[in-house]
Amino acid sequence: MDSSSGSQGKNSKTSDGCETKEVNKTAQNFVHFTEEEEDLVFRMHRLVGNRWELIAGRIPGRTAKEVEMFWAVKHQNT
């Protein structure tokens, strides 16, 4: 994960003074979607709600778990 990923984790100090980054489980499993995939997920969700398998079926190569994880990460602060 690169440093431009925002506030998905928090910095802390180890006993020897080194800085580490703690990342929550959701952020660790986040899969990056293209802009087109994101748009499709949002539009499909408006139509069918949390039917992740149905939404994933419209995005080649994506699983229901990936789509659900994407949605959860995008909406965790709203």
Side-chain angles (χ1 to χ4, degrees):
M1 185 175 304
D2 64 25
S3 61
S4 66
S5 58
S7 60
Q8 294 177 347
K10 65 179 183 176
N11 292 332
S12 63
K13 298 265 185 191
T14 60
S15 60
D16 61 357
C18 293
E19 196 168 283
T20 62
K21 184 149 183 146
E22 297 173 13
V23 181
N24 66 34
K25 280 282 196 206
T26 303
Q28 276 182 333
N29 296 323
F30 184 67
V31 178
H32 293 282
F33 278 54
T34 66
E35 194 172 313
E36 292 80 16
E37 289 173 323
E38 287 189 26
D39 183 55
L40 183 56
V41 170
F42 284 103
R43 287 187 292 123
M44 287 292 296
H45 188 269
R46 272 197 306 268
L47 292 171
V48 301
N50 294 344
R51 297 177 63 191
W52 308 122
E53 288 184 21
L54 185 62
I55 296 170
R58 301 300 232 159
I59 307 172
R62 295 295 187 185
T63 66
K65 187 71 176 168
E66 288 174 325
V67 173
E68 184 178 5
M69 188 64 60
F70 165 78
W71 187 263
V73 169
K74 284 292 190 174
H75 289 90
Q76 69 185 3
N77 296 327
T78 57

